[in-house]
Amino acid sequence: MVEKNAPAVRLGRGFWIVTAVLAILAIASIVFWYVAPIYRWMHLPVAIATAKQVDQLSRFMLATGSALYIFVVGYIVYFAIAFRVRKSDPPDAIGIQIHDNHKLEFWWTVIPAAFVVLLSVLSIKIWYEITLAPSNGLVVEAIGHKWYYTFRYPQVNGEITNAMHLPIGVPVTLNLTSADVIHSFWVPAMRLKNDMVPGLVTQIHFTPTRIGTYQIICTQFCGIDHSLMHQQRFVIDSQANYQKWYHAWQVKNAKVSNALPSTSGASVNLAAGDVAAGKALFAQKCTACHAMAPFTTVKYGPGLLDVLHDPTHPNLVNGQPANPADAAAILEKGYTGTMGSMPNAVTNGLSSQDIANLVAYLNSMK
Amino acid sequence: MAIAAAPHGGGIADHIHPEPQSFVRRYVFSIDHKIIGIQYIITGFVFFVLAGLLAETIRIQLMHANGGFVSPQTYNEVYSIHGSTMVWLVVIPLLTGGFGNLVFPLQIGARDVAFPWLNMLSYWIFPIAGLMLFSSFLMGAPTAGWTEYPPISLEGQAGTSMWAAAIFLVGVSSTLTGINFVVTIMKMRAPGMTFTRMPLFCWGQFATAPLLMIATTALAAALAALFMERQFGVPFFDPTKGGSPVLWQHMFWFYSHPAVYIMILPAFGIVSEVLPTFSRKPIFGYKLIAFSSMAIALAGFMVWAHHMFTSGLAPYLQLPFMVITFVIAVPTGIKIFSWTATLWGGKIHYTTAMLFAMGFLVLFTLGGITGIFLAAIPFDLHLHGTYFVVAHFHYVLVGGSLMGIFSGMYYWFPKMSGRLLSEKLGKWHFWLFFIGFNGTFLPMHWLGLEGMPRWVSTYDPQFQFWNQFASISSFVMTAGILLFFANILYSIRFGKVAGANPWGARTLEWQIPSPPHYYNFKHIPTVYGLPYDFSQPLPYRGLEDELNDTPPPVAAGAH
């Protein structure tokens, strides 16, 4: 195959000089991303333990991404200049006719693939810390509303409507749910967010590590005033200040009665159940798995329309007769067995009053 | 008879109907793939202008932290329609219905697509659906963004149902186009045009068409469900009535992630044509570029839930979506490296088409890298729903798809019209657009990192400086786009006559007159090799009569 105007395929000195320059720039960019106090420039302190790991992952990706980008763009610019058509070239001048280079193609497949493996391992490790690492501690609930958040605490009645306070150093499980549409709970200082989905309780776990006041921001469009849903604060207190704040709320809301259960549990007063409140709660926390429809309408669990009044299904999931007291027991303690499973009151964020309300609602449906 | 009339090869559909003479049959209800392609391109750019006006409304509103240009309600309507228009009425129709129709039947040596009447139907659904989408402004447009997550979209104004119906119709149009293109590429290639001799633009379309066919049906189901829930109260998504809001997200992203590849694979194809032509070099690694498109299309079906890491998925379910998304970086990287290597050792001609293709490389690579960032769950849990995401997808969709579209316009405009676009105006267009684009979207990366959420009509005053910077840059970008339209309007009347092959390109469409005849080829050519070997003679036979006055053969059975 005779190729006109085609010099031998070899990389000139210019190529290696450019490669050396790009390598220096790439190393400089890697150093930059590891040294630069980027989050200080951005006024984003590290409020929880895992935020630091997210930052490390970010630095790793910014550094390697920048290095790659410098090489790609650097070569494009260099080739664009070095291989431009010149006035002295004949009009039918053609480039070097090469079609491929298996060695090169092998390496630029294998190196990115190896990088993908490395990035996966790093990400999964941090993902595990954020998502699955077990944490026993305080269970708090945040509820999204149009266009504010409310918070519920163990042994505190009522909902707290201004700032969310948490003590430093105590692991927290934060249950998230919504009273209306999908909201999101984002604290940039935590490098963490999760959606608040109506009908579903989701959880995030973290341990506060830095005393301070941080912004909570909604990042899912939730209606006309979504833009304003960033005004509430997340306060990390010292243990002593947190206790003070917490007791003040306990006193303030002493007359309201829907405190979250403490881990030791609380007695349920079924007679105090309120059907309307139970209905609202059902929509907020049960509908991800259960429909208010006949038993055979299965979503994840069965339909609960006539769960307490269905002669063909006289028993509950645990084999106990379907009566309000046993339903309340399942809501409180949860159930896991051959028939399926049901999360307990701590996971679902149900106070004893909530349980009474839900049972009253279920009992009213037939 | 027809076979006998073709001197070299031929024989496939070598059967020429007379060209319709009435204006309506020729230019309005045409069944000619080239006219339909041009119809798509014109309609697409009309919607592009409308979407651009909406985009500037957004940027003017965000000049000040307190907004004030339009009400929050109007602002929400504006960005929702801006996103929907750009995705469904601009980028997808321009790249598939527009350039797809116009170019790939010529490149594979076919006289038309497999189903010309179906093609006409796909086109005519599209402007009707577009009008329906914009008519939603009259009854209160949707406000929940182009994703329209329920339950908020269930509460949306009446126009939200119109939005669902309009997008459903666009989806029907896309699906039909997908079927048409798959069948055309499978069955109508010229003799000798094997799959491994197809130009890479055809490979781009061949990878895209199944996505159009398969993924769009999931969107249609989701939209039909949303429409039924809004109009007739059928509870698919409302949790209080037994529905699941997360179900919508699964169905929507099962379409909309592949849709990302619908919007980029044809642009990859355009770049893969423009780079070798103006480097006067074969494309580097033809087979890997072709197969990596197929790999991306296939893997594109398995990553949708990476849009839903914050939606409350079971934790372990998130992992495969993250890892498969990372894996897509490998074939995408292969493409970028191969394009870069194509430039090496070339004789690079700086036409405007080439500038846009090189701009594509620079901008799309950045968007691709931030895409890998966002695929990492810990990073996404921080930045999902922020301006970082806005920056990322504009780098991919504007820096990628739209740069590809502009490159294709400068490249194929002579084939459409017979005249060249002005290179001088074109270079102004490129530089204004390139600089303005980076000024608009680069700052959004750190706006997101600092904590600015998406979908906001007002924002924290600390973000005002970079928002103003972005807005002013967006005016520069718009000036570039205005020059582009001025260039088209000027060149279509006064542009330099192009001739058959102004670029010295080697694919089939450049070996026939500009604009091509109604029947494309006098004789269906026979293909002997890849089109990109600049040192070799053209690998086609049967094209001898294309550029002289010989009349086309008329088959005995023709009417």
Side-chain angles (χ1 to χ4, degrees), chain B residues 452-471:
Chain B
M452 181 164 166
R454 286 174 75 179
W455 301 300
V456 290
S457 55
T458 58
Y459 52 87
D460 196 305
Q462 61 162 313
F463 304 128
Q464 185 164 296
F465 174 79
W466 286 111
N467 270 290
Q468 286 180 346
F469 187 89
S471 294

Side-chain angles (χ1 to χ4, degrees), chain B residues 22-181:
Chain B
S22 77
F23 181 83
V24 170
R25 285 295 312 283
R26 226 169 141 168
Y27 295 117
V28 184
F29 296 107
S30 171
I31 54 168
D32 178 359
H33 71 96
K34 302 183 291 297
I35 299 294
I36 293 175
I38 292 170
Q39 288 176 321
Y40 263 108
I41 289 172
I42 293 172
T43 318
F45 275 115
V46 168
F47 287 121
F48 176 67
V49 171
L50 294 173
L53 291 172
L54 297 174
E56 283 306 341
T57 310
I58 293 171
R59 285 317 325 165
I60 294 170
Q61 168 84 2
L62 296 180
M63 287 278 276
H64 295 283
N66 293 324
F69 180 61
V70 290
S71 69
Q73 178 72 25
T74 310
Y75 178 83
N76 297 342
E77 295 179 5
V78 163
Y79 69 65
S80 301
I81 300 294
H82 163 76
S84 307
T85 307
M86 285 304 294
V87 169
W88 285 299
L89 304 182
V90 180
V91 174
I92 292 178
L94 280 176
L95 283 173
T96 59
F99 288 116
N101 261 315
L102 182 77
V103 177
F104 93 78
L106 296 173
Q107 285 191 333
I108 61 171
R111 293 220 189 278
D112 205 323
V113 293
F115 309 114
W117 287 89
L118 192 68
N119 205 15
M120 179 172 87
L121 179 66
S122 323
Y123 168 72
W124 277 104
I125 293 172
F126 158 51
I128 293 168
L131 288 178
M132 283 170 62
L133 180 65
F134 274 85
S135 74
S136 68
F137 272 118
L138 302 175
M139 54 190 90
T143 55
W146 77 288
T147 55
E148 290 296 320
Y149 279 11
I152 188 77
S153 59
L154 299 174
E155 304 167 5
Q157 309 172 87
T160 311
S161 298
M162 185 57 108
W163 172 90
I167 303 305
F168 184 92
L169 277 183
V170 182
V172 171
S173 162
S174 287
T175 312
L176 298 181
T177 303
I179 293 169
N180 218 338
F181 285 9

Side-chain angles (χ1 to χ4, degrees), chain A residues 1 44 61 69 80 83 85 95-97 99 120 127 146 181 186 193-195 219 221 224 226-227 283 287 299, chain B residues 73 79 155 239 242-243 280-282 285 310 315 318 345-346 348 350 362 373 381-382 384 449 454-455 457 533-534:
Chain A
M1 192 155 76
L44 281 190
M61 293 196 299
Y69 194 61
F83 299 107
V85 73
I96 300 167
Q97 302 295 301
H99 294 87
S120 299
W127 165 85
K146 285 174 176 172
V181 296
W186 180 33
K193 74 164 65 64
N194 212 14
D195 287 359
T219 57
F221 178 77
I224 186 87
H226 165 64
S227 312
T287 52
K299 272 179 101 171
Chain B
Q73 178 72 25
Y79 69 65
E155 304 167 5
R280 298 290 187 256
K281 259 193 78 190
T310 67
Q318 300 171 345
I348 301 175
Y350 285 103
V362 171
F373 290 11
L381 293 181
H382 180 32
H384 182 86
L449 281 163
R454 286 174 75 179
W455 301 300
S457 55
D533 279 312
F534 282 83

Side-chain angles (χ1 to χ4, degrees), chain A residues 1-4 9-11 15 39 41-44 54 57-58 61-62 65 68-69 72-73 75-76 79-81 83-85 89 91 93-101 104-105 108-109 112-113 115-116 119-120 123-124 126-128 130-132 146 180-182 186 188 191-195 197-200 202 215 217-224 226-228 230 283 287 291 299, chain B residues 72-73 76 79 143-144 149-152 155 239-240 242-246 249 279-286 288 309-312 315-316 318-319 322-323 326-327 330 334 336-338 340-341 343-350 358 361-363 365-366 369 372-373 376-386 446 448-458 460 532-536:
Chain A
M1 192 155 76
V2 183
E3 298 185 336
K4 64 175 172 180
V9 176
R10 85 190 133 78
L11 300 166
F15 178 85
Y39 287 97
W41 295 343
M42 294 183 178
H43 313 290
L44 281 190
V54 177
L57 182 68
S58 304
M61 293 196 299
L62 283 164
L68 172 68
Y69 194 61
V72 171
V73 174
Y75 279 133
I76 289 173
F79 296 162
I81 296 167
F83 299 107
R84 70 189 185 280
V85 73
D89 284 325
I94 59 172
I96 300 167
Q97 302 295 301
I98 42 170
H99 294 87
D100 45 19
N101 178 331
L104 198 57
E105 287 167 292
W108 74 39
T109 307
F115 178 76
V116 159
L119 186 57
S120 299
S123 300
I124 291 171
I126 297 169
W127 165 85
Y128 179 83
I130 296 172
T131 312
L132 290 184
K146 285 174 176 172
D180 37 52
V181 296
I182 298 176
W186 180 33
R191 318 284 190 268
L192 185 58
K193 74 164 65 64
N194 212 14
D195 287 359
V197 185
L200 187 67
T202 53
Q215 228 179 351
I217 301 171
C218 178
T219 57
Q220 283 290 357
F221 178 77
C222 55
I224 186 87
H226 165 64
S227 312
L228 303 177
H230 58 79
T287 52
K299 272 179 101 171
Chain B
Q73 178 72 25
N76 297 342
Y79 69 65
T143 55
Y149 279 11
I152 188 77
E155 304 167 5
T240 62
S244 162
V246 181
Q249 299 177 22
S279 305
R280 298 290 187 256
K281 259 193 78 190
I283 187 96
F284 190 92
Y286 169 88
L288 270 186
F309 288 150
T310 67
S311 302
Y316 280 114
Q318 300 171 345
L319 285 186
M322 172 174 80
V323 175
F326 285 154
V327 168
V330 177
I334 288 173
I336 290 169
F337 302 143
S338 301
T340 309
L343 296 174
W344 181 84
K347 288 283 173 203
I348 301 175
H349 293 255
Y350 285 103
M358 292 171 77
L361 288 187
V362 171
L363 300 182
T365 304
L366 185 60
I369 290 172
I372 301 171
F373 290 11
I377 299 171
F379 193 81
D380 187 68
L381 293 181
H382 180 32
L383 287 161
H384 182 86
T386 70
W446 50 87
L449 281 163
E450 288 176 27
M452 181 164 166
R454 286 174 75 179
W455 301 300
V456 290
S457 55
T458 58
D460 196 305
Y532 303 112
D533 279 312
F534 282 83
S535 60
Q536 303 292 316

Side-chain angles (χ1 to χ4, degrees), chain A residues 15-350:
Chain A
F15 178 85
W16 294 112
I17 293 172
V18 168
T19 304
V21 171
L22 293 178
I24 291 166
L25 286 175
I27 290 167
S29 79
I30 290 171
V31 172
F32 170 82
W33 289 117
Y34 272 97
V35 173
I38 34 179
Y39 287 97
R40 197 175 326 137
W41 295 343
M42 294 183 178
H43 313 290
L44 281 190
V46 171
I48 62 169
T50 53
K52 199 163 186 175
Q53 287 164 293
V54 177
D55 283 357
Q56 275 161 358
L57 182 68
S58 304
R59 283 178 197 277
F60 173 74
M61 293 196 299
L62 283 164
T64 48
S66 304
L68 172 68
Y69 194 61
I70 284 170
F71 271 107
V72 171
V73 174
Y75 279 133
I76 289 173
V77 170
Y78 165 59
F79 296 162
I81 296 167
F83 299 107
R84 70 189 185 280
V85 73
R86 290 178 169 83
K87 288 225 169 70
S88 55
D89 284 325
D92 61 345
I94 59 172
I96 300 167
Q97 302 295 301
I98 42 170
H99 294 87
D100 45 19
N101 178 331
H102 291 297
K103 217 187 225 172
L104 198 57
E105 287 167 292
F106 174 78
W107 285 112
W108 74 39
T109 307
V110 166
I111 293 174
F115 178 76
V116 159
V117 173
L118 176 64
L119 186 57
S120 299
V121 170
L122 286 175
S123 300
I124 291 171
K125 198 167 152 270
I126 297 169
W127 165 85
Y128 179 83
E129 294 287 323
I130 296 172
T131 312
L132 290 184
S135 65
N136 294 314
L138 196 54
V139 180
V140 181
E141 179 170 281
I143 304 163
H145 302 262
K146 285 174 176 172
W147 290 273
Y148 59 93
Y149 301 97
T150 57
F151 308 100
R152 295 175 64 192
Y153 283 74
Q155 308 295 302
V156 174
N157 296 322
E159 294 180 2
I160 289 158
T161 52
N162 52 13
M164 180 175 91
H165 286 247
L166 287 174
I168 188 166
V170 177
V172 177
T173 296
L174 183 61
N175 289 329
L176 302 171
T177 184
S178 165
D180 37 52
V181 296
I182 298 176
H183 298 276
S184 192
F185 180 93
W186 180 33
V187 179
M190 297 190 349
R191 318 284 190 268
L192 185 58
K193 74 164 65 64
N194 212 14
D195 287 359
M196 306 171 120
V197 185
L200 187 67
V201 181
T202 53
Q203 293 188 328
I204 52 177
H205 314 275
F206 54 90
T207 305
T209 54
R210 180 182 180 277
I211 291 172
T213 302
Y214 312 99
Q215 228 179 351
I216 307 172
I217 301 171
C218 178
T219 57
Q220 283 290 357
F221 178 77
C222 55
I224 186 87
D225 282 338
H226 165 64
S227 312
L228 303 177
M229 200 162 162
H230 58 79
Q231 291 163 345
Q232 279 167 287
R233 295 291 178 266
F234 163 45
V235 182
I236 298 177
D237 282 329
S238 66
Q239 302 267 2
N241 281 347
Y242 171 75
Q243 289 303 331
K244 243 194 309 198
W245 173 86
Y246 176 74
H247 288 300
W249 270 100
Q250 270 190 322
V251 173
K252 194 167 160 191
N253 277 8
K255 296 215 170 103
V256 198
S257 57
N258 61 344
L260 281 184
S262 69
T263 37
S264 62
S267 63
V268 176
N269 178 6
L270 285 174
D274 174 52
V275 175
K279 187 177 179 187
L281 204 55
F282 189 84
Q284 198 186 99
K285 296 192 168 173
C286 311
T287 52
C289 302
H290 297 284
M292 189 42 73
F295 182 81
T296 48
T297 309
V298 175
K299 272 179 101 171
Y300 187 76
L304 297 178
L305 179 62
D306 39 14
V307 60
L308 297 178
H309 306 278
D310 182 1
T312 56
H313 296 96
N315 292 336
L316 293 171
V317 64
N318 57 2
Q320 297 297 312
N323 62 46
D326 286 318
I330 291 182
L331 281 169
E332 189 183 341
K333 299 194 182 75
Y335 172 78
T336 304
T338 49
M339 300 269 289
S341 65
M342 174 73 199
N344 63 23
V346 175
T347 308
N348 278 333
L350 298 174

